[in-house]
PDB file of all heavy atoms in Angstrom:
ATOM      1  N   LEU A 118     140.918 199.872  96.869  1.00 92.00           N
ATOM      2  CA  LEU A 118     139.838 200.315  97.755  1.00 92.00           C
ATOM      3  C   LEU A 118     138.891 201.289  97.067  1.00 92.00           C
ATOM      4  O   LEU A 118     137.730 201.402  97.460  1.00 92.00           O
ATOM      5  CB  LEU A 118     140.409 200.948  99.016  1.00 92.00           C
ATOM      6  CG  LEU A 118     141.105 200.003  99.979  1.00 92.00           C
ATOM      7  CD1 LEU A 118     141.508 200.742 101.248  1.00 92.00           C
ATOM      8  CD2 LEU A 118     140.242 198.817 100.330  1.00 92.00           C
ATOM      9  N   LYS A 119     139.360 201.971  96.046  1.00 93.00           N
ATOM     10  CA  LYS A 119     138.498 202.903  95.312  1.00 93.00           C
ATOM     11  C   LYS A 119     137.705 202.198  94.218  1.00 93.00           C
ATOM     12  O   LYS A 119     136.820 202.789  93.623  1.00 93.00           O
ATOM     13  CB  LYS A 119     139.336 204.042  94.719  1.00 93.00           C
ATOM     14  CG  LYS A 119     139.900 204.958  95.817  1.00 93.00           C
ATOM     15  CD  LYS A 119     140.622 206.158  95.251  1.00 93.00           C
ATOM     16  CE  LYS A 119     141.990 205.786  94.761  1.00 93.00           C
ATOM     17  NZ  LYS A 119     142.799 206.925  94.331  1.00 93.00           N
ATOM     18  N   ASP A 120     137.971 200.922  93.985  1.00 93.00           N
ATOM     19  CA  ASP A 120     137.243 200.131  92.997  1.00 93.00           C
ATOM     20  C   ASP A 120     135.801 199.935  93.473  1.00 93.00           C
ATOM     21  O   ASP A 120     135.561 199.684  94.651  1.00 93.00           O
ATOM     22  CB  ASP A 120     137.941 198.774  92.826  1.00 93.00           C
ATOM     23  CG  ASP A 120     137.355 197.943  91.702  1.00 93.00           C
ATOM     24  OD1 ASP A 120     136.232 197.420  91.881  1.00 93.00           O
ATOM     25  OD2 ASP A 120     138.024 197.816  90.663  1.00 93.00           O
ATOM     26  N   ASN A 121     134.844 200.039  92.561  1.00 93.00           N
ATOM     27  CA  ASN A 121     133.420 199.894  92.908  1.00 93.00           C
ATOM     28  C   ASN A 121     133.107 198.560  93.584  1.00 93.00           C
ATOM     29  O   ASN A 121     132.207 198.486  94.423  1.00 93.00           O
ATOM     30  CB  ASN A 121     132.552 200.057  91.667  1.00 93.00           C
ATOM     31  CG  ASN A 121     132.475 201.491  91.224  1.00 93.00           C
ATOM     32  OD1 ASN A 121     132.677 202.414  92.003  1.00 93.00           O
ATOM     33  ND2 ASN A 121     132.185 201.693  89.946  1.00 93.00           N
ATOM     34  N   ARG A 122     133.838 197.511  93.239  1.00 92.00           N
ATOM     35  CA  ARG A 122     133.560 196.192  93.824  1.00 92.00           C
ATOM     36  C   ARG A 122     133.880 196.139  95.316  1.00 92.00           C
ATOM     37  O   ARG A 122     133.384 195.266  96.022  1.00 92.00           O
ATOM     38  CB  ARG A 122     134.337 195.109  93.076  1.00 92.00           C
ATOM     39  CG  ARG A 122     133.847 194.930  91.635  1.00 92.00           C
ATOM     40  CD  ARG A 122     134.753 194.049  90.858  1.00 92.00           C
ATOM     41  NE  ARG A 122     135.990 194.787  90.564  1.00 92.00           N
ATOM     42  CZ  ARG A 122     137.040 194.258  89.941  1.00 92.00           C
ATOM     43  NH1 ARG A 122     137.026 192.998  89.565  1.00 92.00           N
ATOM     44  NH2 ARG A 122     138.106 194.988  89.699  1.00 92.00           N
ATOM     45  N   LEU A 123     134.700 197.059  95.807  1.00 90.00           N
ATOM     46  CA  LEU A 123     135.032 197.088  97.233  1.00 90.00           C
ATOM     47  C   LEU A 123     134.418 198.286  97.941  1.00 90.00           C
ATOM     48  O   LEU A 123     134.706 198.519  99.113  1.00 90.00           O
ATOM     49  CB  LEU A 123     136.553 197.114  97.427  1.00 90.00           C
ATOM     50  CG  LEU A 123     137.318 195.873  96.997  1.00 90.00           C
ATOM     51  CD1 LEU A 123     138.802 196.028  97.314  1.00 90.00           C
ATOM     52  CD2 LEU A 123     136.774 194.619  97.652  1.00 90.00           C
ATOM     53  N   SER A 124     133.574 199.022  97.258  1.00 87.00           N
ATOM     54  CA  SER A 124     133.057 200.278  97.821  1.00 87.00           C
ATOM     55  C   SER A 124     132.218 200.088  99.079  1.00 87.00           C
ATOM     56  O   SER A 124     132.089 201.024  99.865  1.00 87.00           O
ATOM     57  CB  SER A 124     132.256 201.037  96.767  1.00 87.00           C
ATOM     58  OG  SER A 124     131.108 200.295  96.405  1.00 87.00           O
ATOM     59  N   THR A 125     131.676 198.911  99.300  1.00 89.00           N
ATOM     60  CA  THR A 125     130.848 198.686 100.485  1.00 89.00           C
ATOM     61  C   THR A 125     131.642 198.119 101.666  1.00 89.00           C
ATOM     62  O   THR A 125     131.102 197.960 102.742  1.00 89.00           O
ATOM     63  CB  THR A 125     129.687 197.720 100.168  1.00 89.00           C
ATOM     64  OG1 THR A 125     130.238 196.458  99.750  1.00 89.00           O
ATOM     65  CG2 THR A 125     128.781 198.286  99.090  1.00 89.00           C
ATOM     66  N   PHE A 126     132.915 197.819 101.458  1.00 90.00           N
ATOM     67  CA  PHE A 126     133.733 197.233 102.505  1.00 90.00           C
ATOM     68  C   PHE A 126     134.449 198.304 103.318  1.00 90.00           C
ATOM     69  O   PHE A 126     134.895 199.308 102.788  1.00 90.00           O
ATOM     70  CB  PHE A 126     134.805 196.299 101.919  1.00 90.00           C
ATOM     71  CG  PHE A 126     134.260 195.037 101.317  1.00 90.00           C
ATOM     72  CD1 PHE A 126     134.094 194.916  99.949  1.00 90.00           C
ATOM     73  CD2 PHE A 126     133.930 193.959 102.122  1.00 90.00           C
ATOM     74  CE1 PHE A 126     133.602 193.750  99.386  1.00 90.00           C
ATOM     75  CE2 PHE A 126     133.439 192.786 101.578  1.00 90.00           C
ATOM     76  CZ  PHE A 126     133.275 192.677 100.201  1.00 90.00           C
ATOM     77  N   SER A 127     134.572 198.048 104.604  1.00 92.00           N
ATOM     78  CA  SER A 127     135.414 198.842 105.490  1.00 92.00           C
ATOM     79  C   SER A 127     136.556 197.940 105.948  1.00 92.00           C
ATOM     80  O   SER A 127     136.411 196.715 105.973  1.00 92.00           O
ATOM     81  CB  SER A 127     134.625 199.325 106.699  1.00 92.00           C
ATOM     82  OG  SER A 127     133.642 200.240 106.298  1.00 92.00           O
ATOM     83  N   PHE A 128     137.665 198.555 106.316  1.00 92.00           N
ATOM     84  CA  PHE A 128     138.854 197.778 106.619  1.00 92.00           C
ATOM     85  C   PHE A 128     139.464 198.155 107.959  1.00 92.00           C
ATOM     86  O   PHE A 128     139.390 199.300 108.382  1.00 92.00           O
ATOM     87  CB  PHE A 128     139.916 197.979 105.522  1.00 92.00           C
ATOM     88  CG  PHE A 128     139.496 197.382 104.215  1.00 92.00           C
ATOM     89  CD1 PHE A 128     138.685 198.092 103.345  1.00 92.00           C
ATOM     90  CD2 PHE A 128     139.886 196.105 103.872  1.00 92.00           C
ATOM     91  CE1 PHE A 128     138.268 197.526 102.147  1.00 92.00           C
ATOM     92  CE2 PHE A 128     139.475 195.549 102.678  1.00 92.00           C
ATOM     93  CZ  PHE A 128     138.664 196.256 101.810  1.00 92.00           C
ATOM     94  N   ILE A 129     140.067 197.161 108.579  1.00 93.00           N
ATOM     95  CA  ILE A 129     140.855 197.377 109.784  1.00 93.00           C
ATOM     96  C   ILE A 129     142.310 197.338 109.347  1.00 93.00           C
ATOM     97  O   ILE A 129     142.747 196.414 108.659  1.00 93.00           O
ATOM     98  CB  ILE A 129     140.578 196.295 110.839  1.00 93.00           C
ATOM     99  CG1 ILE A 129     139.112 196.375 111.275  1.00 93.00           C
ATOM    100  CG2 ILE A 129     141.516 196.442 112.025  1.00 93.00           C
ATOM    101  CD1 ILE A 129     138.684 195.273 112.214  1.00 93.00           C
ATOM    102  N   VAL A 130     143.046 198.362 109.714  1.00 94.00           N
ATOM    103  CA  VAL A 130     144.472 198.459 109.419  1.00 94.00           C
ATOM    104  C   VAL A 130     145.183 198.093 110.714  1.00 94.00           C
ATOM    105  O   VAL A 130     145.141 198.839 111.680  1.00 94.00           O
ATOM    106  CB  VAL A 130     144.848 199.885 108.962  1.00 94.00           C
ATOM    107  CG1 VAL A 130     146.326 199.962 108.629  1.00 94.00           C
ATOM    108  CG2 VAL A 130     143.999 200.324 107.779  1.00 94.00           C
ATOM    109  N   GLU A 131     145.793 196.900 110.731  1.00 94.00           N
ATOM    110  CA  GLU A 131     146.424 196.380 111.944  1.00 94.00           C
ATOM    111  C   GLU A 131     147.927 196.620 111.914  1.00 94.00           C
ATOM    112  O   GLU A 131     148.616 196.143 111.016  1.00 94.00           O
ATOM    113  CB  GLU A 131     146.221 194.868 112.049  1.00 94.00           C
ATOM    114  CG  GLU A 131     144.818 194.431 112.292  1.00 94.00           C
ATOM    115  CD  GLU A 131     144.699 192.923 112.373  1.00 94.00           C
ATOM    116  OE1 GLU A 131     145.660 192.203 112.044  1.00 94.00           O
ATOM    117  OE2 GLU A 131     143.623 192.457 112.765  1.00 94.00           O
TER     118      GLU A 131
END
Side-chain angles (χ1 to χ4, degrees):
L118 291 185
K119 292 185 282 186
D120 187 287
N121 286 337
R122 293 170 287 176
L123 294 183
S124 65
T125 61
F126 291 100
S127 293
F128 292 84
I129 297 174
V130 181
E131 292 180 349

